[in-house]
């Protein structure tokens, strides 16, 4: 007998795999740029909001939503840095540096949020 947590985990993995497949397919089309929109589909946000909302209540859900709004800042920092870096570095190093920028800004966001 398969537990519900195993089914839940498999469902999440299937959603992730589907998103990767869609990104790969879209990147080969005339509208390749839409592949950049798919990572922003709120797949995991929906899951997080459902879990927090059902287990912790409205106040904690609203705090999670507010922090999610601020979480756009590290992603924007990643995009801006990658946009600038792709003309200056090979692709993989540019991606790695942009990832480090995301990590630094995300860590700053968490630290600032904890002080609040």
């Amino acid at each position: 007998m398969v537990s519900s947590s195993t089914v839940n985990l498999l469902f999440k993995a299937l959603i992730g795999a589907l998103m990767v497949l869609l990104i790969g397919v879209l990147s080969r089309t005339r509208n390749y740029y839409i592949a950049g929109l798919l990572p922003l589909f709120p797949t995991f946000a929906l899951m997080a909001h459902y879990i927090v909302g059902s287990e912790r209540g409205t106040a904690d859900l609203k705090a999670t939503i507010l922090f999610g709004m601020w979480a756009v800042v590290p992603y924007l920092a990643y995009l801006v840095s990658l946009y600038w870096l792709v003309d200056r570095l090979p692709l993989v190093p540019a991606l790695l540096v942009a990832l480090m920028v995301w990590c630094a800004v995300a860590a700053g966001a968490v630290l600032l949020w904890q002080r609040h």
Side-chain angles (χ1 to χ4, degrees), residues 1-113:
M1 181 174 218
V2 179
S3 70
S4 65
S5 63
T6 302
V7 171
N8 192 11
L9 186 60
L10 289 173
F11 179 68
K12 291 174 187 173
L14 181 62
I15 290 172
L18 179 61
M19 293 303 281
V20 170
L21 180 65
L22 286 172
I23 290 168
V25 168
L26 280 172
S27 70
R28 292 178 178 88
T29 69
R30 185 171 56 105
N31 299 318
Y32 61 88
Y33 51 87
I34 297 174
L37 181 62
L38 281 182
L40 299 176
F41 184 80
T43 306
F44 299 108
L46 285 166
M47 291 178 209
H49 296 150
Y50 176 78
I51 292 167
V52 172
S54 62
E55 293 181 5
R56 300 198 53 108
T58 304
D60 287 345
L61 175 58
K62 288 178 78 174
T64 302
I65 294 166
L66 186 59
F67 183 74
M69 290 178 196
W70 284 105
V72 173
V73 174
Y75 187 66
L76 182 60
Y78 165 82
L79 291 176
V80 168
S81 63
L82 186 59
Y83 186 84
W84 185 79
L85 288 165
V86 293
D87 290 330
R88 291 160 178 80
L89 296 173
L91 180 59
V92 172
L95 288 166
L96 291 173
V97 173
L99 180 60
M100 289 188 297
V101 168
W102 182 92
C103 289
V105 176
V110 170
L111 292 173
L112 287 172
W113 184 263

